Amino acid sequence: MTGSPVAVSAPGKVLLAGGYLVLDREHTGLVFGLDARIHVHVQKLPSPPGVVLPEIIVRSPQFKGAEWRYGYRQTEDKGGIEVTQLKGSTDCTSPTRFVNFNVPLTDAHKTGLGSSAALVTAFTAAVLTHYLDEEQLALHSESGRARLHNLAQAAHCAAQGKVGSGFDVAAAVYGSCIYRRFSPSVLEGQGEVGSRGFSERLKAVVEDSNSTKKWDMQIDKSAAVMPRGLSLLMCDVDCGSESVGMAKKVLSWRKENPEEATLLWATLQKGNEDLARELQRLSQGCSAVPQNYKNLSDIILTIRSLIREMSAKAEVPIEPKVQSDLLDACCQINGVIGGVVPGAGGFDAIALLVQEEALPSLGEFLRSYTTAKGDESGAGIGKVRLLGVKQEMEGLRAEESNIYADWVK
């Protein structure tokens, strides 16, 4: 145990291509990290010499009443460490370096940027590096990041109550990449904390030592690039409707229509691969020569068409009409190359590929964009806000702990 204060940050994410497909190991997703990062600072609780307090205090000073206290104990029969919440929701001081949202965490607006995965990843990394020295876990090493990735995936799945695709945790650890998911069986059958042998099973998962349940995800960072002069931007959409259980409906449609779904998903996979290749090609071009983005724009339009086809067949609003109208309107602005409803789709956000010189025009357009008309879902767009975030190639990173000195007591 080092005992020294440590700080770690992890990026948010946007799944630019591969929504729903990324759930299946036969397909991949093109995921970009975002420079909206989750920061976690860990330090030892003050106590008299020789006294160890079996307590963890978690504070989120950007929100009102965001403090939680937990007790922990070692269970019997190698059942792991059991954590019990002792107290929650007390006021804590807001930092000066970060934005003060001035609302309780429960009232915070969800933007779908992968904050839960980034939080779990950064928290896991910060706690481990606080307790372990570099010989036991080095975040900058390939083996250290792999072990951290494995534990963060297990923790995130436990928190969600299901084994997801894991692309968001992968992006938090490794940054922008093309991602092929791990086999769900890797994390199945772990049991509950406190059950006999839980710690040994979890250790085998983290260290990838179980020959029958090997981690088999594929992460290709070299294939996820953004050409110079282009930015991946996110827009928060204030929409009057919300869809629940979209993934379940899409997977149900796929199960009931296997031939139709297989053909459509294969065509979508090719479009997603074309998108990644075109971004790579543009990245290799000479910066002194103006780029022609027509092919990139056409590829994005093809992907959107296929997404709308899946949306109609599965009767799920992956790209609802109000979002289609917004994307089409944005793409009329000179310098906006194209855009999609990212990830699982729906009404919350859009992602745009934009030339840097088009940012002022896009911002001005979005400030006045509203529509009173709704689609078949009854949704209508209110305000559209251009978020101050863009792509981030780097994943998890250590931070200097002194940058938090004004709010860590």
Side-chain angles (χ1 to χ4, degrees):
M1 173 175 175
T2 66
S4 301
V6 298
V8 175
S9 72
K13 56 73 186 170
V14 55
L15 186 60
L16 186 65
Y20 299 103
L21 275 70
V22 78
L23 296 170
D24 191 321
R25 267 189 55 77
E26 292 185 9
H27 305 285
T28 59
L30 174 58
V31 54
F32 281 92
L34 296 172
D35 60 3
R37 302 180 72 89
I38 294 290
H39 293 249
V40 175
H41 179 280
V42 174
Q43 67 180 26
K44 186 178 178 181
L45 283 174
S47 63
V51 176
V52 178
L53 297 177
E55 185 177 7
I56 300 171
I57 300 176
V58 180
R59 296 189 180 102
S60 184
Q62 291 174 272
F63 299 94
K64 289 182 175 180
E67 179 179 297
W68 301 266
R69 292 174 177 257
Y70 301 90
Y72 62 90
R73 70 177 186 91
Q74 181 79 44
T75 61
E76 297 76 24
D77 299 320
K78 298 181 179 179
I81 296 176
E82 187 177 75
V83 178
T84 305
Q85 184 168 346
L86 305 176
K87 186 179 180 183
S89 298
T90 62
D91 287 331
C92 48
T93 306
S94 175
T96 57
R97 186 176 183 270
F98 300 95
V99 176
N100 180 2
F101 295 108
N102 202 34
V103 296
L105 191 57
T106 52
D107 294 339
H109 180 60
K110 180 176 171 59
T111 57
L113 301 184
S115 57
S116 66
L119 174 58
V120 167
T121 301
F123 185 87
T124 301
V127 170
L128 289 181
T129 51
H130 176 71
Y131 282 100
L132 304 177
D133 58 37
E134 280 211 353
E135 291 184 0
Q136 296 172 294
L137 182 79
L139 293 185
H140 54 79
S141 72
E142 184 177 342
S143 61
R145 293 214 168 203
R147 292 167 68 199
L148 170 66
H149 165 271
N150 300 347
L151 181 55
Q153 291 281 17
H156 194 235
C157 288
Q160 290 188 316
K162 63 179 181 179
V163 179
S165 71
F167 80 89
D168 43 7
V169 171
V173 175
Y174 295 102
S176 301
C177 62
I178 288 183
Y179 175 79
R180 188 185 302 276
R181 71 159 302 157
F182 58 88
S183 298
S185 60
V186 173
L187 290 178
E188 290 173 347
Q190 293 301 306
E192 297 295 324
V193 175
S195 62
R196 182 185 296 270
F198 173 82
S199 64
E200 291 183 329
R201 292 191 297 274
L202 181 60
K203 183 180 179 181
V205 164
V206 173
E207 296 185 347
D208 199 20
S209 59
N210 187 337
S211 60
T212 64
K213 291 187 175 184
K214 301 293 287 184
W215 286 93
D216 53 2
M217 74 285 177
Q218 295 174 11
I219 295 168
D220 186 354
K221 282 191 62 62
S222 66
V225 295
M226 189 60 59
R228 286 183 297 271
L230 274 190
S231 292
L232 174 58
L233 305 179
M234 299 296 298
C235 296
D236 181 42
V237 179
D238 180 14
C239 208
S241 180
E242 183 176 325
S243 295
V244 179
M246 291 170 61
K248 185 176 180 180
K249 291 180 181 178
V250 170
L251 294 178
S252 176
W253 159 76
R254 187 188 183 205
K255 183 177 181 180
E256 293 168 4
N257 304 273
E259 292 184 6
E260 179 182 57
T262 297
L263 178 60
L264 181 54
W265 277 33
T267 309
L268 254 175
Q269 175 68 26
K270 181 182 181 303
N272 297 340
E273 292 171 355
D274 289 344
L275 174 60
R277 277 193 295 266
E278 182 63 10
L279 289 171
Q280 285 182 289
R281 186 190 70 80
L282 291 168
S283 297
Q284 296 164 0
C286 177
S287 59
V289 178
Q291 296 279 19
N292 184 338
Y293 296 109
K294 171 106 178 25
N295 193 40
L296 179 59
S297 179
D298 288 345
I299 291 170
I300 294 172
L301 288 174
T302 298
I303 291 173
R304 285 183 56 198
S305 176
L306 293 168
I307 289 291
R308 288 195 298 271
E309 182 180 346
M310 181 166 65
S311 186
K313 291 180 182 297
E315 298 182 350
V316 173
I318 304 171
E319 188 186 300
K321 185 177 184 305
V322 288
Q323 296 284 58
S324 296
D325 293 342
L326 173 58
L327 286 168
D328 292 343
C330 288
C331 291
Q332 296 302 310
I333 300 170
N334 188 34
V336 178
I337 308 305
V340 298
V341 184
F347 298 90
D348 295 333
I350 62 170
L352 299 170
L353 288 174
V354 182
Q355 291 179 267
E356 292 174 358
E357 58 266 27
L359 289 176
S361 299
L362 176 62
E364 182 179 353
F365 168 77
L366 291 175
R367 279 191 291 272
S368 60
Y369 185 88
T370 56
T371 176
K373 57 184 179 179
D375 61 8
E376 63 277 2
S377 69
I381 286 180
K383 292 182 179 179
V384 180
R385 185 166 57 100
L386 185 61
L387 299 176
V389 300
K390 63 179 182 179
Q391 77 278 355
E392 166 77 89
M393 308 312 291
E394 185 181 11
L396 190 77
R397 70 173 179 235
E399 303 283 358
E400 294 293 334
S401 60
N402 58 11
I403 69 174
Y404 312 96
D406 59 344
W407 60 276
V408 174
K409 306 301 182 185

